[in-house]
Amino acid sequence: MQKIIRLGMLFPADNAPDFGSIEENPLYPGEYTLLADDIDKLNNALTRAACTPYLDNASDFTITSGANAVVADEPAVWRYHAGSDQWYEVIQSD
């Protein structure tokens, strides 16, 4: 089975989550960028619970507490909390 790497995680090529515009910043590991249209994908696709069914090993989930997701087309930042497995808006858009 072919695999692809998305956001540092190895997924089956034919069955990977849809992360939309979410990308990891190559200069700052653990920081992500996305467009406002994909904010809902943070908690619907980019959590341990959402990714684990696609991964061969749950420990392959690469998002850690404190990871930031900067919304490129709005002044907003979201932060991941591993304990609750949720992203929270820490800088709100207007």
Side-chain angles (χ1 to χ4, degrees):
M1 174 182 290
Q2 286 191 316
K3 303 279 186 169
I4 59 169
I5 297 175
R6 305 268 329 267
L7 303 177
M9 296 175 273
L10 193 61
F11 295 101
D14 62 345
N15 193 24
D18 175 12
F19 295 127
S21 65
I22 302 171
E23 295 181 358
E24 187 169 16
N25 184 331
L27 299 177
Y28 300 101
E31 181 177 288
Y32 302 85
T33 58
L34 69 150
L35 298 175
D37 287 346
D38 291 325
I39 289 172
D40 66 318
K41 292 184 186 309
L42 291 172
N43 281 313
N44 294 327
L46 193 55
T47 62
R48 179 176 297 282
C51 289
T52 298
Y54 298 98
L55 298 169
D56 291 336
N57 186 340
S59 66
D60 292 340
F61 182 72
T62 61
I63 312 301
T64 59
S65 273
N68 289 318
V70 178
V71 183
D73 55 346
E74 285 188 6
V77 175
W78 291 69
R79 184 166 295 140
Y80 180 72
H81 186 274
S84 62
D85 194 28
Q86 292 287 307
W87 290 85
Y88 298 96
E89 191 172 20
V90 293
I91 297 177
Q92 296 183 348
S93 60
D94 294 333

